[in-house]
């Protein structure tokens, strides 16, 4: 939330300052560091910055960023231009080769190209990643790009292959929690909740004080109808972040309600306590809204639902 | 003599679902369709309510959203009449036959909605609106042509969505707009598509709020408000 607000602030500053170079550079940094996907903003800042020509070595990061933004917006000429400059400057760079793969992946999705051409672009992209991995079996970027490219294809076979590749990567880098999270995502896309659960359990071990990770695992367990275990993780998530954790509060309400409904599990005092606690959290959140807030209408529905 | 159409979708509902898909081009998005249904009559979709743009396969947030949607329906005398879905990837647009994993998720949710409605109303009917990315691509091309040359186009042929209902055998069947089976208001004469274009130009999709957005920031209006008239 605060990130979006900060970005909005910078956008406003940019609008006011009209091509002020330091502002544009700080916006680009902010986007890069926080991995925000706003290719439109990147273009607005990077193109005028680069045309000024006095950036020196700082230009290369910006060119890379612009290349990726151009690919996102399907501005392939602009992308090609940036890629060529990067390739001339860094002809033996693995990083640039990875970018070439991404460029091919993006071109594969351009409007109106025939399916055979599409297939060819994707094959070439995968070929580049395979080459990089063959040269450097520990390559992080190329391995991850392979998984991303397969995930984008979205077919049953592609997703299965993505899982295999992700597991191969995790054999080399078992403490990369982002990769375990991605593996969980791949399993969820195939509705393999049990496997997703196992992957998320690894993440919890690697990030034991992350409220988001506990929440995520709780949601998967809830989806598996494992309400008792889900409740533990919801509780842990709320303990780690009691103040701004609406999904955990909502989830706890639902979870304890489901437990109460269960024939074998009803009548548990802890359950009632947790229900009351989380229910109050949800109600408080809506009570804090002003009548002029557009979302206050939902407050009425929440109170009706929770019998307040 | 015209056959009564099985399904009628209000322009606002159609536009909402497309704006939702456009707001999150790299994610799958979904939502619930509200309206009226009476046995043997046309299913009328009055409103589309955007739900999620992440972790669509997970149950808790869907359950929470549906609890609130139920309260809303009671208040506004509406019924849950369907589900909409837009896949993240370009190719997976088929909703019947051999479907992709992401579409299997959509189907599971749609089936669940249908079964839940059937529990309280044996005569319940439900529909599904799929944002078809390939159709959307065709529509985008048409819109580009019409913006550049202003020429009359085949726009009325492309809505960017496909519509489905459960047939008597219990499987989802795609409706054919050409034979008036499933209609989206304003699509045939291209007026809905033109409105979509102007909404995109205004950046209306940025101000669209789905349930995910509302949970993150409850001051944002959801369900009781809409970014589309």
């Amino acid at each position: 939330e605060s990130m979006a607000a900060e970005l909005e602030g910078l956008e406003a500053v940019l609008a006011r300052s009209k091509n002020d170079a330091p502002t544009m550079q700080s916006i680009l940094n902010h986007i890069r560091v926080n991995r925000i996907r706003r290719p439109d903003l990147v273009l607005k800042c990077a193109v005028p910055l680069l045309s000024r020509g006095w950036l020196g070595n700082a230009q290369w990061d910006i060119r890379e960023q612009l290349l990726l933004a151009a690919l996102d917006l399907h501005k392939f000429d602009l992308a090609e231009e940036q890629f060529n400059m990067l390739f001339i400057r860094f002809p033996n760079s693995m990083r640039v080769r990875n970018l070439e793969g991404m460029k091919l992946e993006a071109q594969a999705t351009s409007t109106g190209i025939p399916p055979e051409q599409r297939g060819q672009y994707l094959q070439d992209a995968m070929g580049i990643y395979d080459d990089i991995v063959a040269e450097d079996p520990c390559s992080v970027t190329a391995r991850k790009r392979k998984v991303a490219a397969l995930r984008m294809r979205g077919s049953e076979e592609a997703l299965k292959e993505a899982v295999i590749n992700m597991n191969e990567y995790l054999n080399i880098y078992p403490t990369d929690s982002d990769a375990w999270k991605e593996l969980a995502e791949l399993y969820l896309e195939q509705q393999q909740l049990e496997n997703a659960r196992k992957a998320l359990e690894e993440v919890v071990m690697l990030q034991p004080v992350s409220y988001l990770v506990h929440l995520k695992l709780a949601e998967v367990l809830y989806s598996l109808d494992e309400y008792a275990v889900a409740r533990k993780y919801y509780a842990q998530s709320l303990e780690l972040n009691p103040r701004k954790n609406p999904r955990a509060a909502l989830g706890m309400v639902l979870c304890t309600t489901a437990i109460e409904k269960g024939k074998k599990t009803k009548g548990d005092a802890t359950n009632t306590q947790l229900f009351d606690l989380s229910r109050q959290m949800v109600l408080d959140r809506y009570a804090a809204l002003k009548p002029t807030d557009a979302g206050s209408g939902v407050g009425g529905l929440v109170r009706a639902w929770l019998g307040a | 003599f015209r056959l009564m159409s099985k399904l009628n979708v209000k322009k606002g509902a159609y536009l909402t679902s497309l704006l939702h898909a456009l707001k999150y081009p790299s994610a799958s998005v979904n939502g619930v369709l509200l309206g009226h249904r009476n046995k043997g009559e046309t299913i009328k979709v009055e409103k589309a309510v955007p739900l999620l743009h992440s972790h669509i396969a997970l149950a808790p947030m869907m359950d929470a959203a549906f609890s609130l949607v139920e309260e809303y329906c009671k208040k506004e005398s509406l019924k849950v009449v369907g589900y909409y879905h837009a896949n993240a990837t370009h190719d997976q647009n088929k909703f019947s036959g051999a479907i992709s994993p992401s579409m299997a998720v959509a189907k599971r949710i749609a089936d669940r909605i249908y079964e839940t409605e059937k529990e309280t109303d044996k005569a319940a009917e439900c529909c599904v609106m799929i944002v078809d990315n390939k159709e959307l691509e065709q529509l985008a091309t048409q819109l580009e042509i019409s913006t550049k040359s202003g020429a009359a186009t085949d726009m009325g042929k492309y809505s960017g969505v496909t519509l489905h209902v459960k047939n008597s055998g219990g499987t989802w069947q795609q409706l054919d707009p050409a034979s008036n089976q499933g209609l989206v208001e304003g699509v045939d004469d291209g007026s809905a598509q033109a409105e979509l274009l102007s909404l995109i130009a205004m950046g209306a999709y940025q101000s669209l709020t789905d349930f995910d957005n509302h949970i993150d920031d409850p001051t944002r209006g959801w369900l009781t408000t809409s970014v589309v008239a």
Side-chain angles (χ1 to χ4, degrees), chain B residues 123-144:
Chain B
E125 306 214 28
C126 280
C127 66
V128 173
M129 182 159 63
I130 299 288
V131 174
D132 185 309
N133 293 311
K134 286 208 170 119
E135 271 239 350
L136 206 55
E137 195 179 8
Q138 307 261 41
L139 175 57
T141 316
Q142 290 293 314
L143 285 169
E144 207 180 321

Side-chain angles (χ1 to χ4, degrees), chain A residues 1 37-38 109-112 118 151-156 159 185 188-191 193 216 218-220 222-223 234 246-247 250-251 254 285-286 289 293-298 301-302 304-305, chain B residues 26 54-55 57-61 63-64 67-69 71-72 75 89-92 99-102 104-105 108 134 137 141 206 211-225:
Chain A
E1 274 168 67
R37 197 162 177 172
R38 285 293 304 272
T109 64
S110 54
T111 307
R118 240 187 123 210
R151 184 175 173 183
M152 190 190 78
R153 289 236 287 276
S155 66
E156 216 181 303
L159 285 176
E185 295 289 325
L188 286 176
E189 275 211 48
Q190 301 171 82
Q191 300 193 80
L193 290 169
K216 199 55 188 302
E219 295 195 324
V220 172
Y222 178 102
S223 308
Y234 273 127
R247 283 184 176 78
L250 277 169
L254 292 162
R285 196 151 200 254
Y286 282 94
L289 293 179
D293 287 329
S296 57
V298 183
L301 300 171
V302 169
W305 169 45
Chain B
S26 58
S54 61
H55 310 126
L58 295 179
M61 290 303 103
D63 285 353
S67 300
L68 297 175
V69 166
E71 293 297 330
Y72 179 74
K75 239 180 77 172
T89 49
H90 185 78
D91 280 340
Q92 281 87 32
I99 56 179
S100 68
S102 38
V105 172
R108 190 176 55 83
K134 286 208 170 119
E137 195 179 8
T141 316
Q206 291 288 6
F211 188 53
D212 266 335
N213 299 138
H214 174 78
I215 298 182
D216 287 334
D217 178 3
T219 64
R220 293 181 69 152
W222 173 71
L223 185 54
T224 58
T225 62

Side-chain angles (χ1 to χ4, degrees), chain B residues 14-218:
Chain B
Y14 159 78
L15 291 171
T16 302
S17 66
L18 286 178
L19 287 175
H20 195 197
L22 289 166
K23 186 177 181 186
Y24 296 104
S26 58
S28 292
V29 302
N30 67 4
V32 65
L33 301 172
L34 307 180
H36 303 281
R37 55 164 198 250
N38 290 304
K39 189 171 173 75
E41 290 176 21
T42 310
I43 302 173
K44 296 199 179 81
V45 176
E46 307 280 342
K47 189 181 162 94
V49 178
L51 291 177
L52 308 174
H53 60 266
S54 61
H55 310 126
I56 288 186
L58 295 179
M61 290 303 103
M62 283 289 274
D63 285 353
F66 268 90
S67 300
L68 297 175
V69 166
E70 264 171 47
E71 293 297 330
Y72 179 74
C73 284
K74 276 189 226 164
K75 239 180 77 172
E76 306 288 320
S77 306
L78 287 169
K79 294 225 166 71
V80 169
V81 295
Y83 171 72
Y84 78 79
H85 188 99
N87 271 333
T89 49
H90 185 78
D91 280 340
Q92 281 87 32
N93 301 299
K94 275 178 52 174
F95 192 59
S96 35
I99 56 179
S100 68
S102 38
M103 208 52 103
V105 172
K107 185 168 175 296
R108 190 176 55 83
I109 299 174
D111 282 338
R112 187 135 170 257
I113 292 175
Y114 178 69
E115 268 136 43
T116 310
E117 290 307 301
K118 274 271 204 233
E119 270 172 28
T120 50
D121 175 6
K122 287 276 185 304
E125 306 214 28
C126 280
C127 66
V128 173
M129 182 159 63
I130 299 288
V131 174
D132 185 309
N133 293 311
K134 286 208 170 119
E135 271 239 350
L136 206 55
E137 195 179 8
Q138 307 261 41
L139 175 57
T141 316
Q142 290 293 314
L143 285 169
E144 207 180 321
I145 294 172
S146 82
T147 328
K148 286 198 180 135
S149 65
T153 65
D154 288 330
M155 198 132 74
K157 281 203 212 133
Y158 305 106
S159 62
V161 301
T162 56
L163 300 168
H164 312 256
V165 293
K166 283 257 188 189
N167 63 20
S168 50
T171 48
W172 292 103
Q173 188 174 12
Q174 185 165 339
L175 295 176
D176 175 19
S179 50
N180 281 346
Q181 283 189 322
L183 298 175
V184 178
E185 204 187 57
V187 154
D188 285 343
D189 60 14
S191 59
Q193 294 92 323
E195 194 171 332
L196 176 67
L197 189 60
S198 73
L199 283 167
I200 294 171
M202 290 195 302
Y205 54 92
Q206 291 288 6
S207 39
L208 179 141
T209 302
D210 61 15
F211 188 53
D212 266 335
N213 299 138
H214 174 78
I215 298 182
D216 287 334
D217 178 3

